[in-house]
């Protein structure tokens, strides 16, 4: 996978899966702009890791649930690097609980962070990608977007919509030379799952044929492949990475 000379914008890249995606894109030769919302220390650490790999990156703080934030961020990427080739819509939050106990504030937050952010950043990036007639957009979905999860109803709905958005946009912009794919991770070892007790972790592991959680780099390596010309005939796909769970 050769991403030399390519420029990527990764949302939610300070920690977890997004940081690993940024690192794998760096290893393949891309320059990377890392977005995050609040954890300055983690973002600085991620940037240091990129520099330690000999890569080049910048930090762009902001809430991607706002369209103007996404537009300004992508304008900044183009101002700094001259273009944008790769957009990875990774930022996301999960909220657990019975749907009947949820409130409007909660479902607005989940839908705005997980779905509206994908629409926001894709729209803003297409402004540039359409001019160049090339680009790769990768949306980080979830296996729960494919099959739905009890206790994560709004989260599942947000990710299911990301899957449909991916397939529809891929069809619309394939003639313009831009590819759109999604990755649907299973259970990945990140802060998003750190609330789980040891017992809950063991119960989950027993549902995974490979008997372990995935790591961020398992998603990062696929994102690098989908960003590269090695996947030039792949578009509109939702690719599951879950150790055989589903
Ligand atoms: P994580 O460790 O909790 O990290 C979340 C990242 O998103 C952080 O960088 C955070 O920034 C950023 N973020 C959150 N809200 C944001 C906003 N409104 N604007 C900009 N950045 C925002 O999460 P993760 O586990 O890596 O998950 C990454 C993606 O993978 C999500 O879309 C998630 O739904 C998906 N996923 C995860 C799993 C899993 O098991 N972990 C499974 C399936 C899918 P700060 O550091 O500044 O807070």
């Amino acid at each position: 996978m050769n991403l030399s000379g390519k420029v990527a914008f990764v949302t939610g890249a300070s920690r977890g899966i997004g940081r690993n995606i940024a690192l794998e894109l760096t290893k393949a030769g891309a320059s990377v702009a890392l977005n995050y919302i609040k954890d300055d220390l983690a973002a600085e650490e991620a940037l240091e890791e990129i520099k330690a790999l000999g890569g080049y990156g910048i930090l762009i703080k902001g809430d991607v649930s706002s369209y103007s934030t996404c537009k300004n961020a992508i304008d900044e990427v183009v101002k700094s690097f001259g273009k944008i080739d790769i957009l990875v819509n990774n930022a996301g939050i999960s909220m657990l609980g019975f749907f009947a106990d949820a409130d409007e504030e909660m479902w607005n937050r989940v839908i705005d962070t997980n779905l509206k952010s994908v629409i926001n950043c894709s729209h803003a990036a297409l402004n540039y990608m359409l001019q160049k007639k090339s680009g790769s957009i990768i949306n980080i979905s979830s296996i729960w977007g494919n099959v739905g999860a009890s206790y994560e109803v709004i989260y599942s709905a947000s990710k299911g919509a990301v899957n449909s958005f991916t397939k529809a946009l891929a069809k619309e912009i394939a003639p313009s030379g831009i590819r759109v794919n999604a990755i649907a991770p299973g259970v990945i070892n990140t802060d998003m799952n750190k609330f789980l007790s040891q017992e809950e972790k063991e119960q989950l592991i027993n549902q995974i044929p490979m008997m372990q959680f995935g790591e961020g780099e398992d998603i990062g390596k696929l994102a690098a492949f989908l960003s590269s010309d090695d996947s030039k005939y792949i578009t509109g796909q939702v690719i599951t990475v879950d150790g055989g769970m589903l």
Side-chain angles (χ1 to χ4, degrees):
M1 288 177 282
N2 182 3
L3 298 176
S4 296
K6 301 279 185 192
V7 174
F9 178 56
V10 183
T11 70
S14 50
R15 299 182 280 119
I17 292 172
R19 186 195 284 205
N20 279 275
I21 292 171
L23 291 173
E24 293 301 326
L25 296 180
T26 301
K27 286 182 202 168
S31 300
V32 186
L34 296 88
N35 157 263
Y36 66 105
I37 187 167
K38 60 176 187 300
D39 195 337
D40 297 313
L41 192 62
E44 292 290 347
E45 276 173 16
L47 189 59
E48 285 310 313
E49 282 193 62
I50 282 173
K51 287 181 185 160
L53 288 169
Y56 189 64
I58 58 169
L59 298 179
I60 303 181
K61 188 175 183 177
D63 179 352
V64 287
S65 66
S66 144
Y67 181 64
S68 61
T69 301
C70 292
K71 198 177 169 316
N72 291 339
I74 285 167
D75 287 348
E76 196 179 329
V77 174
V78 174
K79 208 170 144 203
S80 302
F81 297 103
K83 59 176 183 164
I84 176 167
D85 303 297
I86 301 156
L87 167 66
V88 185
N89 288 309
N90 163 80
I93 54 171
S94 73
M95 282 195 192
L96 301 181
F98 286 117
F99 174 65
D101 295 334
D103 58 37
E104 188 182 5
E105 193 273 329
M106 175 262 186
W107 62 69
N108 280 346
R109 252 192 86 205
V110 174
I111 296 291
D112 287 355
T113 309
N114 295 2
L115 172 62
K116 193 167 165 259
S117 65
V118 175
I119 298 170
N120 290 340
C121 289
S122 301
H123 191 273
L126 277 180
N127 190 26
Y128 295 104
M129 290 178 174
L130 284 170
Q131 287 171 25
K132 293 192 67 194
K133 289 196 173 297
S134 76
S136 176
I137 298 175
I138 298 157
N139 300 322
I140 305 304
S141 179
S142 163
I143 51 169
W144 305 130
N146 298 344
V147 298
S150 151
Y151 229 55
E152 291 191 85
V153 171
I154 310 295
Y155 179 82
S156 301
S158 70
K159 297 298 190 177
V162 166
N163 291 350
S164 305
F165 176 84
T166 300
K167 292 176 193 179
L169 185 63
K171 286 177 181 160
E172 188 167 302
I173 61 179
S176 302
I178 301 159
R179 298 183 298 111
V180 190
N181 291 288
I183 301 174
V187 187
I188 309 295
N189 226 342
T190 71
D191 289 351
M192 196 173 263
N193 295 313
K194 74 177 177 195
F195 69 91
L196 291 168
S197 67
Q198 196 51 38
E199 197 188 339
E200 287 168 329
K201 281 185 183 162
E202 278 162 23
Q203 282 170 0
L204 261 175
I205 283 171
N206 284 332
Q207 296 172 43
I208 303 171
M210 292 186 90
M211 298 295 287
Q212 55 185 312
F213 289 176
E215 297 298 330
E217 71 168 22
D218 297 324
I219 309 303
K221 287 181 191 301
L222 178 56
F225 171 67
L226 290 173
S227 301
S228 76
D229 286 345
D230 289 0
S231 59
K232 64 183 167 40
Y233 198 53
I234 300 176
T235 197
Q237 302 306 302
V238 179
I239 302 174
T240 296
V241 181
D242 70 349
M245 190 173 179
L246 288 188

